[in-house]
Every structure is written in structure tokens, then in C-alpha cells.
Amino acid sequence: VGTPTGERTIFVHLEAIGAIIDSLPGQEQIEVGGLLVGREYEDDAGVYLVVAAAIPARQAPGTPVSVTFTHQTWDQLSAEKASRYPDQAIVGWYHTHPGLGVFLSERDLFIHRNFFADSTHIAVVIDPSKFAWGIFYWQNSALVAAPGCYIYGEPAGNYDRLSALLTRYQRGRTQ
């Protein structure tokens, strides 16, 4: 998706996209969010980040312009990460900007700097009204937009699962 080049190579599994999509229907006017789990790897081609899964923050209260990760939210996210993804690391977070576009607000920057400060951590921002996505990563001490990413989880040229996810999202928007 996009042009996945540059300083940061990012792979996102279809299951992570599916978990994010499933947290969106009916929430187009209220911000939602969650954690991203996966690992950073290195091979002969370089260092890359793999987002294996997303954990929706079901306990996070949202408004049209914010989502808050309370102590209860962190408890839910931590418990789910430990039980479902014990071998994965937290690699970032995602949240929505319903109808506002894809960007990092000052509040988002504060959250990322203070809770996702590791050089491997990313932020995914989604505007569900347009189904626009952006990935932001650390480059030196600044957060920059990734020019693209790789989606994996099905054979090249066979996009049945991705198509089903997008259909599921569209159905959720119309219900």
C-alpha cells in the first residue's frame, strides 16, 4: 500500500487490519483505539517491523475528538496481550480521527512521546469516514509519515481475505 520505501519498512498482517476494522463499525463519530503487537526483525535486507495483531481498547472512553486509555483500558489491553500474544511485543498503537483526516494532533504527539517512545513504536491513524490510513514512525527524534507499508497474510495476487475485510468494513458502515 503506498510506496513502502524509505528508512522504515513496515509489514502489517491482515489479522491486524481485521481487528482494527472490526473495532470501527458504529464508531464513525467517536474515536476508538488500541494496541499493535508484533516484532522488529533484521535480515540481510535490513531492519523491518512486523505488526502481527491489533488489540482493540474496548474499555477506552471516546469522544468525537479523543480516546482515553484509562487504568481499566490498560488492564484490559495488558491482559489480552499476555493471554493471546505472549511472544509478541507492543510495537505501537492505533486510533481514529472520525471525519478529521489523518494526522497526529498535539495530544497524539504527547501520548506517543510519553507512552510509545521506543524507536520501534509506530502510530496508525485512521479516518473511518474516508477509510484513510496513515502510519507514523520515529525518525531520529521526530514522528514522520511512512510512505507506505506491506500487507501480508495471503498469497500475492490473491486478495480474497483483504476483499472480505473491506466488504465487512463497508457493511459495518451501512448498518
Side-chain angles (χ1 to χ4, degrees), residues 13-157:
H13 197 282
L14 278 173
E15 296 304 321
I17 294 170
I20 293 170
I21 286 173
D22 288 345
S23 73
L24 300 179
Q27 300 298 330
E28 287 195 12
Q29 303 306 313
I30 296 174
E31 283 198 17
V32 298
L35 286 181
L36 302 170
V37 297
R39 288 249 175 254
E40 184 175 72
Y41 296 93
E42 184 171 3
D43 63 16
D44 293 340
V47 176
Y48 55 97
L49 182 71
V50 174
V51 178
I55 306 170
R58 294 183 219 6
Q59 305 295 325
T63 73
V65 294
S66 70
V67 61
T68 303
F69 286 23
T70 64
H71 290 292
Q72 291 83 7
T73 306
W74 282 110
D75 288 347
Q76 175 250 313
L77 291 168
S78 297
E80 196 165 338
K81 189 231 169 267
S83 69
R84 294 182 62 200
Y85 309 104
D87 297 331
Q88 301 292 327
I90 293 172
V91 295
W93 66 305
Y94 76 89
H95 71 288
T96 60
H97 282 175
L100 300 174
V102 175
F103 64 96
L104 289 173
S105 69
E106 285 302 316
R107 184 169 191 240
D108 298 339
L109 292 169
F110 173 85
I111 291 167
H112 203 82
R113 285 184 187 120
N114 288 281
F115 299 100
F116 300 96
D118 188 275
S119 65
T120 62
H121 288 160
I122 63 171
V124 173
V125 180
I126 305 115
D127 183 340
S129 67
K130 301 173 191 148
F131 202 61
W133 294 50
I135 299 175
F136 299 86
Y137 67 93
W138 287 110
Q139 185 176 58
N140 302 318
S141 61
L143 284 164
V144 299
C149 71
Y150 294 98
I151 297 174
Y152 74 101
E154 62 188 342

